[in-house]
Amino acid sequence: MTLHTPGPESPAPGASAARLIYARPEVLRDRSTHYCPGCGHGVVHRLLAEVLTELDLPAHTIAVAPVGCAVFAYDYLDIDFVEAPHGRAPAVATGIRRVRPEAFVLTYQGDGDLAAIGTAEIVHAAARGERITAIFVNNGIYGMTGGQMAPTTLLGQKTTSSPFGRDAALMGYPIRITEMLAQLPGVTYAARGTIADVGSIGKLKAMIKRACQVQMEGGGFAIVEALSNCPVGWGMTPQQSIEHLKGPVVEAYPLGVIVDRGAVAQPTHDLGCPSPAHPEA
Amino acid sequence: MTGEREPGAQADANRRARVLMKGNEAIAEAAIQAGCDAYFGYPITPQAELLEWMARRMLELGRVFIQAESELGAINMALGAAATGARVMVSSSSPGISLMAEAMSYMAGSGTPMVLVNIMRAGPGLGGIGPSQSDYFQATKGHGHGDYRVPVLAPASIGEAMELMATSFELAERYRTPVMLVADGILGQAMEPVDLRFRTPERQTFDWALTGAAGRPGRVIKSIDLDPEVLERRNLDLQHKYREIARRETRWEGWQLHDADLVIVAYGTAARVARTAIERAREKGIRVGLFRPITLWPFPSHELARLSRHVGGILTVELSAGQMVEDVRLAVEGRCPVAFHGRMGGLVPTPDEVMGALKALKGRVDRIASPERHAHMAPVSRWHEPPERTEAEPWIHERVRRGGRR
């Protein structure tokens, strides 16, 4: 990977022995995070910082921080940030987008924020085809408040608010919200990746990059869902949580690009919904 | 119009600048002329014409208009746009304002300027679509959670509403705060001749606005602080700001106060009904004046307190069960009797009703002045008290009922 902003530790010209291949992007602040040991948020922050740097975006970015574990995202990413009330990040991003057409607008949301309390806001931002990029970290639980059931919690999964396991008869089914959003013609790009292993992380980064490029090229709404873990909330060791992520979680939430309609702005008169069986190129 | 009947060209220009306008549309146009960059709304009666005016005019002018998916969506779009330093506005009516309460608290906490117009209708709940002032508590004491206030401006005419729109943007930007303009449904729906004279507050550059962190560290607009010491300091700063606003921005209007024995305190449409009643009372030789708060918060408490030392009694008239009257009583501190007359549910007190309440107050004031003072401390309420319940009630209800009858 190439980095445009190597740190001060870069080797002096002519120093042939060492070649810097991995460094902290400057936009990622040099500080420890409040995330629990083994949490996937750090990986997603890092990928986002790398992509923003590679696309030369930090100076143009206005980001929206959610309520949830990533509430302090602005402590780790050195870009302009506004705090949104719980679930409202897509509406806040819409307001920024419309008055700042030149800005790069980003939301960073968790699954409680995006798929429960903020369902209306994410659906309508997507329906309007708002030119924003949503980074959606799905760990299937409300981590910040102590591990309660989320709309994305797997069937049978025990949480502090589903102590006997999630029962579909009582608590309904997990929501695949990224697939739901992908139905909307305003959505230019929707994809799901994971932080489960090195290979997946590389693919996830490519998805985040594409979701950012879509916005830069004038496309509509773009979302990347990052399946992540929550060792503390899941009651597992970090290693167990990664195995769980690779197994039942990925099985419930299939990986891959769900829709990529190209970065051409959607015509406003086209109100037809594309059939899932015939995805547009 | 040729202007032949007018003495000069200037008079002709004045006449052309005076047009008949509906309140909602006049408020919308005043906001546009005040430099509103972005408007976000959701349909609700009786403010829908405001949204409709914006839908056409803002797009004509190349500005931002979005009909949001809900009032939650609308005000959070406003939050985002305002965070970048844009001049933004939302409007709604009472139930919609309840939904906007969440973001109001966030904007007050994070210091994000915005103007919010509430064309008030009757509650509670879905209530009705008739005019009301029953959101006084909501506007001045509440909406969202936390220790915060927002300036609340209450026009009594469409022309004044237009002027106060510009003032609202000024206050919002000067103090980095949401500002509310509240008008009952009559002011939104009625048509009045208005002068097409507009004011555009000067643009400022904000050192807090989010513009992209080019050549500077990232800026953050937020209300959260988990460190109690830090959060208390932030709260103290807010309280300091509110004291500043109370000291500098309190607005009210007096009318016929110079010789008044009795004073009506009323705002908005109620103040206009009160003026008619005052004219009739003066014809009958009762000297009554009008004290009209223009800022509901900050409430003109000091001015009213001063006035209460020189008058025999005060009557508060509202389109509510009696909300502002609590602030009136707090200001008056028992120096003179404070009576109340109000209608609810979308009804408006008539001048005759207000006359009746004035006469009752006058009788009470005269009794206080007479040697046998009796029962003057009982508050006078003009709406119908429910009949006493005969069946056995839980103890708590008894306590509340007895305690309530001071």
Side-chain angles (χ1 to χ4, degrees), chain A residues 29 58-63 67 71-72 74-75 78-86 88 90-96 98-100 102 117 120-122 124-125 128 130 144, chain B residues 37-38 40 64-70 72-73 76-81 83-84 86 88 102-103 106 110 209-214 216-224 226:
Chain A
R29 288 196 167 110
H60 314 287
T61 301
I62 303 176
V67 172
V71 66
F72 297 118
Y74 38 73
D75 286 347
D78 186 15
I79 50 180
D80 276 7
F81 256 106
V82 59
E83 158 200 88
H86 198 13
R88 320 286 175 234
V92 174
T94 298
I96 298 168
R98 297 297 184 101
V99 297
R100 291 261 167 201
E102 77 291 354
I117 195 167
E121 285 77 11
I122 195 74
H124 287 275
R128 287 189 301 268
E130 292 295 342
M144 188 63 133
Chain B
D37 296 312
F40 308 96
V64 174
F65 166 88
I66 298 182
Q67 179 176 325
E69 65 273 14
S70 68
L72 289 171
N76 283 288
M77 289 173 193
L79 190 161
T84 72
V88 303
E102 174 194 52
Y106 279 74
S110 63
L210 305 186
T211 53
R216 58 163 174 80
R219 288 174 181 162
V220 181
I221 292 182
K222 60 168 188 161
S223 59
I224 190 173
L226 293 187

Side-chain angles (χ1 to χ4, degrees), chain B residues 256-336:
Chain B
Q256 305 272 36
L257 288 175
H258 59 285
D259 64 344
D261 294 324
L262 302 177
V263 170
I264 297 181
V265 183
Y267 69 97
T269 292
R272 296 176 65 162
V273 177
R275 278 178 85 114
T276 308
I278 289 168
E279 281 166 3
R280 290 189 196 169
R282 284 190 170 261
E283 282 166 17
K284 289 187 173 10
I286 311 173
R287 291 197 299 263
V288 188
L290 175 69
F291 184 91
R292 180 172 73 87
I294 297 171
T295 49
L296 303 184
W297 190 84
F299 191 74
S301 303
H302 294 299
E303 295 76 6
L304 190 58
R306 213 174 301 138
L307 188 65
S308 70
R309 294 191 178 91
H310 310 294
V311 299
I314 289 175
L315 171 68
T316 307
V317 180
E318 299 177 57
L319 278 63
S320 80
Q323 301 195 5
M324 182 180 69
V325 67
E326 293 193 0
D327 283 336
V328 173
R329 288 190 172 123
L330 280 171
V332 170
E333 289 183 310
R335 278 181 289 266
C336 69

Side-chain angles (χ1 to χ4, degrees), chain B residues 88-401:
Chain B
V88 303
M89 171 189 174
V90 298
S91 70
S92 188
S93 180
S94 313
I97 303 295
S98 296
L99 281 173
M100 292 178 166
E102 174 194 52
M104 290 284 279
S105 172
Y106 279 74
M107 295 178 91
S110 63
T112 316
M114 182 212 39
V115 174
L116 186 157
V117 174
N118 181 5
I119 307 295
M120 294 183 282
R121 60 187 251 181
L126 206 48
I129 58 171
S132 178
Q133 296 179 330
S134 57
D135 299 349
Y136 180 92
F137 285 157
Q138 184 193 50
T140 62
K141 321 273 182 197
H143 20 88
H145 54 283
D147 278 317
Y148 78 96
R149 299 277 198 176
V150 303
V152 182
L153 300 167
S157 71
I158 295 171
E160 189 184 26
M162 292 166 74
E163 165 58 26
L164 289 181
M165 275 311 298
T167 308
S168 300
F169 284 114
E170 266 167 357
L171 294 179
E173 289 172 8
R174 187 179 306 151
Y175 296 102
R176 286 188 65 181
T177 177
V179 172
M180 271 181 110
L181 184 137
V182 298
D184 52 79
I186 289 181
L187 286 165
Q189 291 296 321
M191 294 185 88
E192 278 187 335
V194 293
D195 290 320
L196 287 187
R197 273 199 300 268
F198 298 106
R199 199 157 57 82
T200 313
E202 211 170 298
R203 292 275 175 184
Q204 300 170 40
T205 47
F206 303 118
D207 59 3
W208 48 264
L210 305 186
T211 53
R216 58 163 174 80
R219 288 174 181 162
V220 181
I221 292 182
K222 60 168 188 161
S223 59
I224 190 173
D225 253 311
L226 293 187
D227 179 343
E229 306 259 345
V230 176
L231 186 56
E232 188 182 50
R233 268 203 302 282
R234 284 175 69 117
N235 267 280
L236 287 170
D237 288 347
L238 272 183
Q239 296 305 317
H240 176 73
K241 176 162 86 178
Y242 298 147
R243 278 194 297 278
E244 247 337 81
I245 295 174
R247 197 167 64 77
R248 300 163 66 125
E249 308 294 350
T250 306
R251 290 162 164 80
W252 62 284
E253 182 193 55
W255 185 66
Q256 305 272 36
L257 288 175
H258 59 285
D259 64 344
D261 294 324
L262 302 177
V263 170
I264 297 181
V265 183
Y267 69 97
T269 292
R272 296 176 65 162
V273 177
R275 278 178 85 114
T276 308
I278 289 168
E279 281 166 3
R280 290 189 196 169
R282 284 190 170 261
E283 282 166 17
K284 289 187 173 10
I286 311 173
R287 291 197 299 263
V288 188
L290 175 69
F291 184 91
R292 180 172 73 87
I294 297 171
T295 49
L296 303 184
W297 190 84
F299 191 74
S301 303
H302 294 299
E303 295 76 6
L304 190 58
R306 213 174 301 138
L307 188 65
S308 70
R309 294 191 178 91
H310 310 294
V311 299
I314 289 175
L315 171 68
T316 307
V317 180
E318 299 177 57
L319 278 63
S320 80
Q323 301 195 5
M324 182 180 69
V325 67
E326 293 193 0
D327 283 336
V328 173
R329 288 190 172 123
L330 280 171
V332 170
E333 289 183 310
R335 278 181 289 266
C336 69
V338 176
F340 171 74
H341 178 79
R343 296 297 299 267
M344 291 168 273
L347 296 174
V348 180
T350 64
D352 281 348
E353 286 173 30
V354 177
M355 265 301 282
L358 276 174
K359 281 179 188 161
L361 175 64
K362 186 174 187 313
R364 202 164 136 214
V365 170
D366 291 346
R367 281 200 300 281
I368 295 166
S370 70
E372 322 75 61
R373 302 185 164 200
H374 51 276
H376 69 273
M377 288 309 287
V380 178
S381 291
R382 287 276 297 172
W383 72 84
H384 213 67
E385 293 283 346
E388 296 277 318
R389 291 172 68 168
T390 49
E391 69 269 34
E393 286 181 77
W395 172 84
I396 184 83
H397 287 186
E398 286 296 316
R399 272 295 290 268
V400 168
R401 218 176 52 200

Side-chain angles (χ1 to χ4, degrees), chain A:
Chain A
M1 99 187 41
T2 56
L3 288 168
H4 293 202
T5 53
E9 66 272 32
S10 345
S16 57
R19 189 169 65 87
L20 181 74
I21 57 164
Y22 195 72
R24 176 181 59 82
E26 228 174 73
V27 71
L28 195 64
R29 288 196 167 110
D30 185 13
R31 60 189 300 181
S32 58
T33 73
H34 73 289
Y35 297 117
C36 306
C39 173
H41 268 298
V43 175
V44 182
H45 280 18
R46 158 104 203 180
L47 294 181
L48 184 57
E50 286 178 3
V51 167
L52 291 177
T53 305
E54 287 165 22
L55 297 176
D56 200 20
L57 286 174
H60 314 287
T61 301
I62 303 176
V64 186
V67 172
C69 289
V71 66
F72 297 118
Y74 38 73
D75 286 347
Y76 314 128
L77 294 166
D78 186 15
I79 50 180
D80 276 7
F81 256 106
V82 59
E83 158 200 88
H86 198 13
R88 320 286 175 234
V92 174
T94 298
I96 298 168
R97 158 56 58 232
R98 297 297 184 101
V99 297
R100 291 261 167 201
E102 77 291 354
F104 181 81
V105 185
L106 187 74
T107 73
Y108 189 108
Q109 301 178 259
D111 46 309
D113 196 76
L114 185 141
I117 195 167
T119 321
E121 285 77 11
I122 195 74
V123 167
H124 287 275
R128 287 189 301 268
E130 292 295 342
R131 195 160 61 85
I132 60 178
T133 301
I135 307 298
F136 168 35
V137 179
N138 177 5
N139 59 9
I141 206 155
Y142 285 85
M144 188 63 133
T145 45
Q148 294 83 13
M149 184 183 70
T152 43
T153 295
L154 300 186
L155 287 178
Q157 186 179 341
K158 287 182 181 173
T159 70
T160 56
S161 59
S162 59
F164 310 109
R166 182 173 187 169
D167 175 354
L170 292 174
M171 304 153 194
Y173 296 89
I175 296 179
R176 287 185 194 160
I177 197 154
T178 307
E179 279 88 340
M180 287 167 61
L181 296 173
Q183 307 300 308
L184 300 166
V187 176
T188 300
Y189 183 76
R192 183 184 290 117
T194 181
I195 56 110
D197 53 45
V198 175
S200 304
I201 289 171
K203 287 179 191 156
L204 178 61
K205 181 179 172 182
M207 288 171 177
I208 293 173
K209 195 164 189 172
R210 172 81 187 124
C212 293
Q213 282 167 334
V214 160
Q215 182 183 151
M216 295 168 75
E217 292 162 15
F221 183 85
I223 182 168
V224 175
E225 176 176 344
L227 293 179
S228 189
N229 61 337
C230 180
V232 173
W234 293 356
M236 297 176 183
T237 65
Q239 202 170 356
Q240 285 168 339
S241 76
I242 291 294
E243 292 309 315
H244 184 72
L245 187 58
K246 284 182 190 168
V249 176
V250 166
E251 203 174 301
Y253 296 101
L255 302 176
V257 176
I258 301 161
V259 72
D260 188 344
R261 298 193 169 96
V264 181
Q266 300 297 305
T268 49
H269 59 267
D270 178 14
L271 300 176
C273 259
S275 156
H278 303 92
E280 292 171 26

